Amino acid sequence: MKRIATIFFCLFVLSSFAQKENFKTFYQSNKDKAEVSLNIPSFFANMFISDEDTDEFGVFLKKSKNYKIMVFNNNMASVKQNFKKFVRRNNLKTLVRVKDGNERVTVYFRETKDRIKEIIVNVHDKSDGLVLLGIKTNLTMDELSAMVEASTKNKSIASN
């Protein structure tokens, strides 16, 4: 009986110390199923962002290191299941959910020691496809909320 209890205790300890996966591991294991998969360094991607957007997202762009983009048209159901498991296993937090007809956008983030280390955007249409964007970053929650606030202020001014 002691031996069984010891084995279960060891398994529990090992599983609790298991390291969380980042989006890179999900990307590596599913990129072969994607129609398009891109791994873009931030210095290259930031060259294509307009000066107007850099005002709102300046801190975000400076603290972003890497973008991983995956577009799925086929094998979407299995990838969606894999992504749901990835979200649950890694305790990703939901930042935003938007639904518009059949389209769904969900923004997740992974936080470590009060720093947002990854932002993952899941965009899917129930009939067409799935797009996943993983952004490696090093933001504080205050920086992220300031960026969102600045973005919403500029959008409301533009619409008036």
Side-chain angles (χ1 to χ4, degrees), residues 87-127:
V87 168
R88 277 193 307 261
R89 267 193 322 255
N90 294 291
N91 297 323
L92 296 180
K93 297 176 184 173
T94 303
L95 184 64
V96 177
R97 271 193 194 132
V98 179
K99 295 178 184 179
D100 184 23
N102 286 335
E103 297 175 354
R104 308 275 191 260
V105 177
T106 308
V107 179
Y108 301 97
F109 68 96
R110 182 175 57 86
E111 189 175 27
T112 306
K113 297 181 183 177
D114 299 329
R115 303 296 265 177
I116 297 172
K117 295 295 188 176
E118 269 184 327
I119 296 174
I120 302 168
V121 181
N122 175 356
V123 181
H124 72 277
D125 186 329
K126 289 192 177 190
S127 60

Side-chain angles (χ1 to χ4, degrees), residues 142-156:
D142 292 337
E143 291 168 334
L144 182 63
S145 63
M147 180 184 69
V148 170
E149 186 177 317
S151 174
T152 55
K153 277 184 185 177
N154 288 345
K155 299 296 183 229
S156 64

Side-chain angles (χ1 to χ4, degrees), residues 2 33 57 75 78-79 81 83 85-86 99 127 137 158:
K2 286 182 181 180
K33 298 174 189 172
F57 302 109
N75 303 321
S78 66
V79 173
Q81 279 301 105
F83 186 72
K85 289 177 187 176
F86 172 77
K99 295 178 184 179
S127 60
T137 186

